[in-house]
Amino acid sequence: MESMGLWAVLPPDLLRFISDGFGLPLESYSSIRGVCTAWRSALPAAAPLLLTVSGFDALRHRQIEPGQVVSASFLAAGRSGFHLFPLGDGDDEPVLKVVFAPNPTAADYTSVAICGPRRLAYARARDMRWTVMDVAMAEQGDRLADLVYDAGGGKGKVYCVTAHGDVHVFHVPGCQRRRPRVAPLHASRAGGGGLFAPPYDTASKLLTGAKSIFLSGGGLHQAWRNTTIAFSAMTPGGGRFSMAKDEIVVLKYDPERRPCWDAVADLEGRSVFLGKNKPLVLRPQDASGVRPNCVYWIDERSGFQPMVFDMAT
């Protein structure tokens, strides 16, 4: 602190102005916050409930164009300008999402990222580079949509959901000698029906715009949102499936049931925040203003407006 001299007593407003003006990458911004207590207090942590990425449309483009600026906006920090870059040596695929094992530190962390339509990458603190893996999918037009880190039982694994609702599991290697592996959560679609209870077996192919995966109450869930206009479609059994724009359906996984995914009417009083970062599940008593049985997200198609969907209403 003494070696910093007058730098340590810069007015907080001036320090924030400097950090915003230089458009610092996220890692540099985090390093500045670690200089001293005064600087840490002046600069808000980039660790909000919701995170969005602007300048890149993952639904229409699969790579960052030359000269294109892609940045992350953090609600809690109240600023943007953290530039995101492609991952890997010579890899032109953008990083669409990154999750970390719980309680990461600079000396001990594990991170896993979606870095292409069918590619995952992971890195640990002791690694000198990212390890990239291809994910084999059952259907030609499918692609990775979201992922969540599960450290339950002390065995790190990451659940990845595709645009069609299939789930793959990446078992994080505990040592360098173990080879990374990604396997389907559902060993087989045969033997007692498909993955989704009707009419969601039909909806799984219609709702490919926004699928998320999260853990709540110890159970694995998917959230499907209709990002287009309201629609109605016939189902194979002669019924009809309808959804309004931005309507959300939440499905829960039950490995003992066939089909193993079915819709639920609530989250047992919890609510989930979905974004480009780790999904966060809260109860109303955990934070002021949180309502029970709701899904929160940021609508990137409507000026990055915060949205909430009440499962009960």
Side-chain angles (χ1 to χ4, degrees):
M1 182 74 172
E2 292 179 358
S3 62
M4 292 297 295
L6 295 177
W7 284 100
V9 293
L10 280 175
D13 290 342
L14 178 59
L15 189 59
R16 285 192 292 268
F17 176 80
I18 293 173
S19 67
D20 287 347
F22 282 102
L24 299 173
L26 178 57
E27 59 184 18
S28 298
Y29 181 83
S30 300
S31 296
I32 289 177
R33 293 190 72 247
V35 168
C36 63
T37 302
W39 287 23
R40 185 176 184 85
S41 300
L43 299 177
L49 300 185
L50 296 175
L51 162 68
T52 66
V53 175
S54 57
F56 176 74
D57 187 347
L59 299 179
R60 293 187 298 171
H61 305 288
R62 293 189 174 182
Q63 66 184 43
I64 299 175
E65 300 298 330
Q68 184 179 8
V69 176
V70 180
S71 60
S73 301
F74 297 82
L75 265 63
R79 60 156 288 181
S80 61
F82 299 128
H83 293 173
L84 304 179
F85 299 96
L87 176 152
D89 298 330
D91 190 349
D92 61 358
E93 296 288 1
V95 176
L96 301 182
K97 181 166 181 175
V98 181
V99 294
F100 287 85
N103 306 314
T105 67
D108 183 16
Y109 67 84
T110 300
S111 57
V112 182
I114 297 176
C115 60
R118 298 187 172 205
R119 303 181 80 183
L120 286 177
Y122 80 96
R124 295 164 294 189
R126 59 183 177 271
D127 297 334
M128 300 301 294
R129 61 181 180 85
W130 289 84
T131 298
V132 181
M133 303 162 291
D134 293 321
V135 180
M137 298 187 187
E139 300 183 29
Q140 185 65 30
D142 209 357
R143 66 183 187 278
L144 293 170
D146 193 28
L147 71 169
V148 63
Y149 202 109
D150 179 16
K155 296 182 179 180
K157 55 187 174 183
V158 175
Y159 294 105
C160 314
V161 67
T162 72
H164 291 173
D166 277 344
V167 176
H168 297 260
V169 187
F170 167 47
H171 298 270
V172 181
C175 62
Q176 292 184 341
R177 291 190 299 271
R178 290 185 57 188
R179 297 185 61 183
R181 58 189 179 94
V182 184
L185 175 64
H186 321 98
S188 173
R189 292 175 179 265
L195 301 181
F196 306 105
Y200 305 107
D201 49 353
T202 299
S204 65
K205 303 300 188 296
L206 299 175
L207 301 171
T208 60
K211 280 192 173 71
S212 302
I213 190 165
F214 63 96
L215 294 158
S216 177
L220 190 62
H221 296 72
Q222 292 190 40
W224 299 354
R225 176 165 57 93
N226 177 21
T227 59
T228 61
I229 60 175
F231 71 88
S232 181
M234 296 294 295
T235 60
R240 183 170 290 274
F241 178 79
S242 303
M243 282 189 77
K245 182 181 182 300
D246 283 329
E247 184 175 346
I248 290 177
V249 59
V250 176
L251 301 100
K252 185 175 182 180
Y253 177 64
D254 185 349
E256 303 300 324
R257 180 180 58 206
R258 290 294 181 273
C260 53
W261 291 95
D262 200 1
V264 292
D266 59 63
L267 289 172
E268 299 178 342
R270 305 176 183 87
S271 287
V272 60
F273 290 78
L274 301 173
K276 299 296 185 182
N277 54 339
K278 173 186 175 181
L280 186 64
V281 177
L282 296 175
R283 292 184 180 274
Q285 58 267 32
D286 296 330
S288 176
V290 175
R291 293 154 50 185
N293 302 311
C294 289
V295 179
Y296 292 82
W297 81 98
I298 292 179
D299 190 351
E300 300 180 4
R301 300 172 183 268
S302 299
F304 299 96
Q305 181 180 5
M307 304 283 287
V308 57
F309 179 82
D310 191 316
M311 296 175 63
T313 63

